[in-house]
Amino acid sequence: MTRPPVRTAPTGAVYFSLLGPLTARLDGHELPLGPRKQRLVLATLLSRPNTPVPVEVLTDAVWPDDPPRTARKNLQVYVSAARTLLGPAAGHEGRDRVVHGCGGYLLRIAEGELDTLRFGSLARAGRAAAGRGDLAGAARLLREALDLWEGPPLNDLRDSAGVAEEAGRLEARCLTVYEDWAETEIELGRPAVAVDGLRDLVERHPLRERLRAAWMNSLHQSGRQAEALAVYDDYRQLMARELGLEPSPAMAALYRSMLGRGREARRPAPAREAVGPAAPPACTAAFTGRPGELRELLEVLGCGEERVVVVSGPAGAGKSALALRAAHLLADRFPDGRVRVRVRREDGTARSRAEILAELGRLCGVAGNAAPPGSTASPEGGAGGDRAATAALADAWQEWQARHRALVVLDDVPDEASVRGLLSRSGKCSVLITARGQLAGLAPVHRIALPALADAEALELLGKLIGAGRLRADPGAALRIVRACGGLPLAVEVSGMRLAVLRHLPLAEYADRLDDPSAALDELVAGDVSVRHRIASGWQDLADGDRWVLGRLAGLAEAGGFTLDRATEALGCGERAAIRAVESLIDAGAVTSPAGEVTAHAALYEVPRLLGLYAHEREGV
């Protein structure tokens, strides 16, 4: 963070900066931005570039407690002054930078004119490079993004609650990118370059665990074990004193692993068979909820006693996000890497075993994809040769797993047959499977079923997307929204994305839309992300008979669940047949049942709300 930021705006264009004090420069010369209230208006517009900002939001930023009667007129004056100062929009001579419409004021800005837009672009490129296994390129791009960070964002205007809230979000993004960069440098075997910066940031954010873990790792790999252990001890005491809590299982496991190595630092791993990209690190700012399930995953996979774990739940339940978060936190337990392979194609169809083995072979540097001598391969690559090549790669994959300690995430598995030949028969590799159904045919495995998000978790996720202030303004409507989403993380996330764009839309009005069974699924679309599309994919997984049963039971779910007696009546069959039908849907992940033991007659079964609405639609087709 010591090198000067790279300015990318063309000559004659204004360059704005929020990652530090609010500034605007024209050809290297700083522009006077006027009095404080005018600066607050500009900062609020810049924090939402190319997006209409309602007059009410601007008013709250400038006059949080008691706006004057002339507030709207004063805002017009500040905006007019900003138009004069900043000139026309880049590339659009004659067009104002600030325009007013039905949604509020909009500031036109290009990526090369605003440091936060440039920061986001570089960070995405860096993470994409890491996903491809290009760690050196990822480190360079993430470092370039961090070079734009000149200090606490908007540090000269934080006495305004609205601006302070936005500044907090920007700082959280910067910290996450710094953590990504530091972990990448450590993985490249260059821990010393991150030590000092991590120390400074931990002093400013002492409870941020990921920062502290990276600092511990950088110290340890630099040969400073005693200091690394002291960092953990300080953190343990701070957590106990401030929060009455212990460090997370992942943090404690990192500490124990360092103790186990004595005073000898862990040296950077030598060049080994290409493990390919580590599982993409989960974004700390976006991952919300699931503390119990995450803790269970870390304990089960971290102790090494279970080699296969199945995380199940309906489409949109957050299975992949949980798996990737766990894979990120377990990096130290799997020194030979973490790889993730999707078992379905984008259209929802299952990939063949040969396709999956080929990708695993490419990611992990597994040899054996050529047909062995004596096979029936023909010059044209006949079916016999294909089978022999797949068998050879399967054997090589088993040998690789026997010699390595890696975590393999098999994501979105449709059925047991898709993964049976991929699971390790020996060695220290572990496999984390995500699936909509429970994959009852796999054994022995450890199973974790994801329920709907609790209200508090769902509200936290919604607040991260629309802002805590907007959530606090109408908590009752916010609660109605997350409950109308059935606690499904994807639906809550899509709601948040829509509301983040439709900032003029009252939460209560959107809650009314979601409460309407005939319109809810139509509302849950944000850009190319559609809850209906995801649920439809899960619907296609069901057998024809299960779809019919689900359509009959969906009506019962609106009343808050159903008993076996009501299911028997709705299906028009005998008790044993009803039990088999309901349990088939439980196995497929389409019906939820009590977590504890209870007789079939006493159990209350539920169909997730949005799946029930989709089943009603299909029943009427």
Side-chain angles (χ1 to χ4, degrees), residues 4-20:
V6 178
R7 305 304 186 195
T8 55
T11 301
V14 180
Y15 184 87
F16 302 93
S17 177
L18 302 183
L19 300 178

Side-chain angles (χ1 to χ4, degrees), residues 292-571:
E293 292 84 358
L294 180 59
R295 187 180 307 113
E296 184 179 354
L297 259 183
L298 296 176
E299 290 173 352
V300 169
L301 290 171
C303 71
E305 295 179 3
E306 298 281 354
R307 290 216 303 269
V308 181
V309 178
V310 174
V311 176
S312 62
K319 303 178 293 295
S320 298
L322 176 65
L324 295 182
R325 177 64 175 153
H328 168 76
L329 293 174
L330 288 166
D332 193 69
R333 305 297 295 168
F334 296 97
D336 292 313
R338 298 148 292 147
V339 295
R340 175 211 187 196
V341 173
R342 289 186 59 85
V343 183
R344 295 182 201 253
R345 302 183 184 91
E346 289 297 324
D347 62 2
T349 59
R351 300 170 68 190
S352 69
R353 184 163 170 262
E355 286 180 90
I356 298 168
L357 279 168
E359 183 170 349
L360 287 167
R362 185 177 71 255
L363 291 175
C364 300
V366 176
N369 51 347
S375 72
T376 57
S378 66
E380 292 78 18
D386 291 341
R387 286 194 297 271
T390 300
L393 186 52
D395 290 342
W397 171 239
Q398 288 295 332
E399 291 176 11
W400 189 92
Q401 291 185 94
R403 291 184 286 108
H404 293 81
R405 187 182 184 90
L407 176 63
V408 180
V409 179
L410 298 176
D411 198 14
D412 201 10
V413 171
D415 52 40
E416 298 91 337
S418 300
V419 296
R420 263 206 186 93
L422 307 177
L423 307 183
S424 175
R425 294 192 290 264
S426 62
K428 296 182 178 180
C429 278
S430 293
V431 179
L432 176 52
I433 294 171
T434 71
R436 296 167 189 167
Q438 299 197 40
L439 305 185
L442 290 182
V445 299
H446 185 92
R447 301 182 186 280
I448 299 175
L450 296 188
L453 288 176
D455 287 346
E457 294 175 328
L459 287 170
E460 181 184 357
L461 176 57
L462 183 64
K464 287 183 176 181
L465 295 164
I466 69 174
R470 196 173 177 193
L471 200 70
R472 288 193 300 266
D474 195 347
L479 184 60
R480 287 174 56 206
I481 289 171
V482 299
R483 287 181 175 173
C485 291
L488 188 71
L490 176 66
V492 176
E493 187 174 357
V494 168
S495 295
M497 290 190 290
R498 276 182 64 82
L499 289 166
V501 173
L502 302 175
R503 298 192 62 85
H504 66 283
L505 182 63
L507 298 190
E509 182 178 332
Y510 188 65
D512 290 340
R513 297 182 188 180
L514 292 182
D515 283 339
D516 181 356
S518 65
L521 290 173
D522 293 328
E523 290 294 332
L524 291 171
V525 180
D528 61 351
V529 182
S530 166
V531 172
R532 186 198 304 275
H533 177 77
R534 191 74 64 87
I535 291 177
S537 178
W539 176 266
Q540 292 302 318
D541 284 351
L542 299 175
D544 290 342
D546 284 343
R547 292 179 200 159
W548 181 85
V549 171
L550 184 59
R552 302 289 293 178
L553 297 179
L556 304 179
E558 285 294 317
F562 60 90
T563 61
L564 180 61
D565 290 340
R566 295 196 65 197
T568 302
E569 181 181 350
L571 297 176

Side-chain angles (χ1 to χ4, degrees), residues 72-155:
R72 188 176 293 266
K73 182 67 175 178
N74 292 347
L75 285 177
Q76 293 172 353
V77 172
Y78 297 142
V79 168
S80 177
R83 286 194 184 107
T84 302
L85 176 68
L86 303 178
H92 298 283
E93 296 301 326
R95 293 182 64 188
D96 287 335
R97 273 201 180 273
V98 186
V99 295
H100 185 261
C102 60
Y105 288 99
L106 179 147
L107 175 60
R108 295 189 177 112
I109 199 85
E111 179 186 307
E113 297 179 305
L114 180 60
D115 59 356
T116 55
L117 291 179
R118 179 67 177 152
F119 179 90
S121 176
L122 288 167
R124 288 190 296 273
R127 289 169 179 147
R132 297 191 301 271
D134 179 11
L135 295 183
R140 176 181 55 78
L141 289 163
L142 294 172
R143 180 69 260 178
E144 189 176 343
L146 292 172
D147 285 341
L148 298 172
W149 189 9
E150 298 180 317
L154 296 168
N155 55 27

